[in-house]
Amino acid sequence: MRCVIARFPFELVKSEVLEAMKGVKPEPVTGECVIIGRRTYPVKQVGEVITRQDRRDFSAAEVTRALTRLGFTCRSAPVPAPVAAPDPVDTASALLGTPAGS
């Protein structure tokens, strides 16, 4: 499939992307990601491997669009779970400890 990433044309084939990513250790996912085989890779890491360009030269959207058209599953950035604020009374009790006479 012909696509343009960072103003350069590429002929991408799903099997070639799979082969290129074979043996590449996934980096921690902090943004958009793509599932290749059984592994989840950051989109920018995959784009760097398949285009041989620096990650700063292309956007995640360009690579996501191309990989989706090839049939890969792309996901947006994971939403972090909200952290409940501790109760001020519980925090104070923990800091003060238990009374000595108890």
Side-chain angles (χ1 to χ4, degrees):
M1 174 199 75
R2 181 172 161 67
C3 64
V4 176
I5 299 174
R7 299 179 311 275
F8 290 98
F10 290 95
E11 273 298 326
L12 296 178
V13 180
K14 187 172 185 174
S15 61
E16 291 176 359
V17 174
L18 288 167
E19 188 63 33
M21 295 308 293
K22 192 177 289 185
V24 176
K25 183 179 177 190
E27 297 171 358
V29 176
T30 58
E32 305 216 359
C33 61
V34 59
I35 299 171
I36 299 178
R38 287 188 233 155
R39 295 181 174 192
T40 302
Y41 294 91
V43 169
K44 288 276 205 167
Q45 181 184 12
V46 176
E48 183 177 48
V49 171
I50 63 176
T51 66
R52 296 183 183 94
Q53 294 181 1
D54 190 273
R55 296 175 192 208
R56 296 171 290 185
D57 294 340
F58 55 84
S59 70
E62 290 175 302
V63 179
T64 300
R65 192 174 320 120
L67 292 172
T68 301
R69 287 176 53 198
L70 284 174
F72 291 103
T73 302
C74 297
R75 297 197 174 137
S76 59
V79 179
V83 178
D87 182 30
V89 175
D90 291 338
T91 303
S93 296
L95 290 172
L96 293 174
T98 57
S102 297

